[in-house]
Amino acid sequence: MRRGALRERARADARHTPPGPQAPSSAQAPPSAQAPPSSSPASSHPVPPSVVVERRVEWTDTDAAGHYHHSTVVRWVEAAEAVLLHRLGLSHLFGSTPRVHFEADYRARLWFGDTVRTELRVTKVGSASLHYAFTVRGQQGGEAATGRMVVAHSAAHATGSTPWPPDVRDLLGAAGPQQPELLTTAQAPGGTSCASQS
């Protein structure tokens, strides 16, 4: 067969031959090395509200032993609760949320003049109840007291507990951390430092 005819035969064969397997391109990694398809982002869990409040151990907070009296923790926790509800726009709840349970573990002494931080956080919202947990810390950051408090919702003139309104329940369950109320130290006339709340 002549050389020209051979070339034509080769071209015809090439047109009718199915393509063989291709080597993977250098620009595309094999499937085993490729990242898996991104899954849809997980829904974020709601974060209950919390707040940090600073106070100072006053002389009237101490007892004959010289350190803070155990009942002072109740006042600090309720002060933190007042700040938290105010931050949430729920100050109107005062007067309709009686305390039904309070417990505390006292872990360290606090002395007159010490700066104290109380962290209050919502741990559970019931149909008509609200559960708090609290941590009281001294100047060095160590735990001085921990515990929990439970309040019930009882609307004005109600003879028992009443369910939370839906909008209130939503705030109490997912409002997240609130702006703290901290002490700022200023120099008073005469050289004595005083504290104000920020």
Side-chain angles (χ1 to χ4, degrees), residues 7 12 16 18 38 76 109 119 156 174 197:
R7 282 198 297 267
H16 293 86
S38 58
W76 289 335
R109 294 178 176 182
E119 178 190 359
Q197 296 172 11

Side-chain angles (χ1 to χ4, degrees), residues 20-34:
Q22 296 180 354
S25 169
S26 59
Q28 181 179 5
S32 60
Q34 294 179 18

Side-chain angles (χ1 to χ4, degrees), residues 65 67-68 107-111 114 144:
H67 54 74
Y68 76 114
R107 305 181 183 280
R109 294 178 176 182
L110 298 171
W111 304 92
D114 284 355

Side-chain angles (χ1 to χ4, degrees), residues 104-126:
D105 293 313
Y106 298 89
R107 305 181 183 280
R109 294 178 176 182
L110 298 171
W111 304 92
F112 170 58
D114 284 355
T115 299
V116 177
R117 281 195 171 197
T118 302
E119 178 190 359
L120 183 71
R121 54 198 179 278
V122 172
T123 58
K124 178 183 176 182
V125 183

